[in-house]
């Protein structure tokens, strides 16, 4: 055992004392919220989320709830996406304006090769974090299974403003730790992708487009 490791273990034993085997209270006095809620507004939190996402090379657009279907169609058209797979429970209104795009509802019967050939995926999310520009999916409504967002090369994610929180602790409070969580902070980096000839990234799309819906409630039908 190295001297450094011996020193660390000695400190751990000293800190535990006679409390080993009993539950130790974990301090929770760290900086919980992004900023003072008495000063910050929801618009500040939403704006910061967009800024942090843009810093990570993701594309961010703000849209009204009534324009969501049009915005989804425009995003797919602008990226040249002709085939997508979507969660089976994705709200119909999100895709109502699509023209010339092949859409398949995801199922367990759709394997890796089929997802790789789909080019793109459209989903919602469980929560989003302004401080880190992170989107979290938990397999809930409009999100689908984890494989759905790990294989296709393009991901269009719809985030409602009321799903955006300021900090990671606030997001954790909303999440069930027993669900399959995917934390997405921008598209996959170049070093994380496979060679061009093999399709999508190792663990996420090369292109991440985000539509922030500024009005309406989460998962509201368009």
């Amino acid at each position: 055992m190295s001297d450094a490791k011996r020193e660390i273990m000695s400190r751990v034993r000293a800190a535990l004392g006679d409390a080993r085997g009993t539950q130790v209270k974990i301090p929770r006095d760290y900086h919980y919220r992004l900023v003072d809620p008495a000063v910050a507004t929801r618009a500040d939190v939403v704006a910061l989320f967009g800024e942090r996402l843009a810093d990570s090379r993701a594309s961010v657009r703000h849209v009204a709830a009534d324009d969501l279907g049009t915005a989804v169609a425009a995003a797919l058209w602008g990226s040249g996406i002709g085939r997508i797979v979507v969660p089976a429970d994705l709200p119909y209104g999100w895709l109502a304006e699509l023209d010339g795009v092949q859409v398949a509802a995801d199922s367990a019967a759709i394997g890796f090769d089929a997802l790789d050939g789909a080019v793109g995926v459209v989903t919602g999310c469980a929560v989003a974090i302004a401080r880190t520009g992170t989107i979290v999916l938990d397999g809930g409504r409009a999100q689908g299974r984890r494989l759905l967002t790990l294989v296709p090369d393009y991901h269009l994610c719809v985030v409602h403003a009321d799903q955006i929180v300021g900090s990671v602790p606030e997001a954790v409070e909303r999440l069930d730790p027993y669900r399959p969580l995917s934390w997405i902070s921008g598209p996959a980096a170049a070093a994380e992708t496979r060679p061009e000839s093999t399709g999508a990234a190792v663990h996420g799309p090369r292109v991440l487009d985000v539509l922030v819906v500024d009005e309406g409630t989460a998962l509201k039908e368009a």
Side-chain angles (χ1 to χ4, degrees), residues 197-219:
S197 60
T198 61
V202 172
H203 53 266
R206 288 190 181 94
V207 179
L208 174 64
D209 283 351
V210 179
L211 297 177
V212 177
V213 182
D214 292 323
E215 301 173 12
T217 57
L219 298 181

Side-chain angles (χ1 to χ4, degrees), residues 47-57 129-134:
L48 179 61
F49 172 68
E51 292 172 6
R52 293 294 166 84
L53 262 181
D55 288 343
S56 65
R57 301 179 297 111
I129 307 167
R131 181 189 290 274
T132 58
T134 301

